[in-house]
Amino acid sequence: MVSSVQWFRMGASLVAQLGLVAILAIGIWAGAAQADQTTGPTLGPETNLPLPRFVSLKAAEANVRRGPSLTHRIDWVFQRRNMPLQVIAEYGHWRRVIDKEGQGGWVHYTMLSGSRTVLIDGDTTALRSRPEPDALENALLEPGVIARLGKCEAEWCRLTAGGYRGWAPKSTLWGVAAGEIRD
């Protein structure tokens, strides 16, 4: 039989152990939070690629679902091949994507491509021969035009669209991050 003194000692020991577990858990949580601040972008659990990231639509049509499975309802259909999209989450073979307007849902990964494209955003954009504001204009790109993304410097990106090549200011494009540099 256990005496009341023994119950007290066992209870005090249990409280001390729980306190130690709580302190360790807080320390681990704080260390993980500090590691997240120093390690950079979040990586997707399925691909180990950065989140968010830009991709393009591989297919001419892709169902956009409310959840990450075939049993979830189709909310709408993306109908523009090469349209740039931003992957914001991953689950199994599914990627949660958004378009320029922030609309999106879950798309099967086979509908997406790692080939990068951008959307001309805002006004008509000059495609220039060099990454300089006064360089010769090769073409004018209308808002909504999709262009293949090439090299990007701090403020300019090299694009290919409609058989034309040249440089456009990064600020006029959707589908490339402001600080992104590409070789």
Side-chain angles (χ1 to χ4, degrees):
M1 181 158 241
V2 179
S3 71
S4 60
V5 173
Q6 288 174 320
W7 273 112
F8 176 77
R9 286 183 183 155
M10 288 188 331
S13 175
L14 182 60
V15 168
Q17 289 173 358
L18 288 176
L20 181 59
V21 169
I23 289 169
L24 288 173
I26 290 169
I28 290 169
W29 176 79
Q34 185 178 12
D36 285 346
Q37 293 172 357
T38 59
T39 58
T42 303
L43 298 179
E46 306 298 332
T47 62
N48 208 30
L49 294 172
L51 289 177
R53 69 178 177 276
F54 289 100
V55 296
S56 61
L57 191 62
K58 185 188 302 184
E61 287 188 352
N63 293 333
V64 181
R65 296 182 180 272
R66 187 159 292 181
S69 76
L70 293 174
T71 60
H72 285 89
R73 189 177 108 189
I74 297 171
D75 283 336
W76 58 82
V77 179
F78 284 138
Q79 295 184 324
R80 194 165 180 200
R81 183 185 311 272
N82 295 324
M83 179 172 65
L85 298 168
Q86 188 174 38
V87 176
I88 59 172
E90 300 176 347
Y91 182 81
H93 293 301
W94 296 86
R95 307 295 175 257
R96 185 170 177 86
V97 296
I98 56 172
D99 63 10
K100 179 181 161 285
E101 284 81 34
Q103 300 298 313
W106 292 91
V107 176
H108 196 269
Y109 81 100
T110 59
M111 298 289 108
L112 304 175
S113 169
S115 296
R116 295 287 298 279
T117 59
V118 293
L119 193 64
I120 304 302
D121 193 19
D123 298 329
T124 300
T125 298
L127 202 55
R128 301 198 176 272
S129 60
R130 291 183 318 280
E132 301 168 1
D134 58 348
L136 181 66
E137 290 182 6
N138 293 343
L140 291 175
L141 302 179
E142 296 288 326
V145 165
I146 294 175
R148 178 107 17 229
L149 181 64
K151 179 179 180 175
C152 284
E153 297 177 352
E155 296 182 17
W156 292 82
C157 289
R158 186 160 172 80
L159 307 178
T160 304
Y164 294 95
R165 290 181 184 196
W167 294 85
K170 197 182 284 185
S171 61
T172 64
L173 309 174
W174 189 86
V176 61
E180 187 174 351
I181 305 293
R182 291 174 44 99
D183 289 326

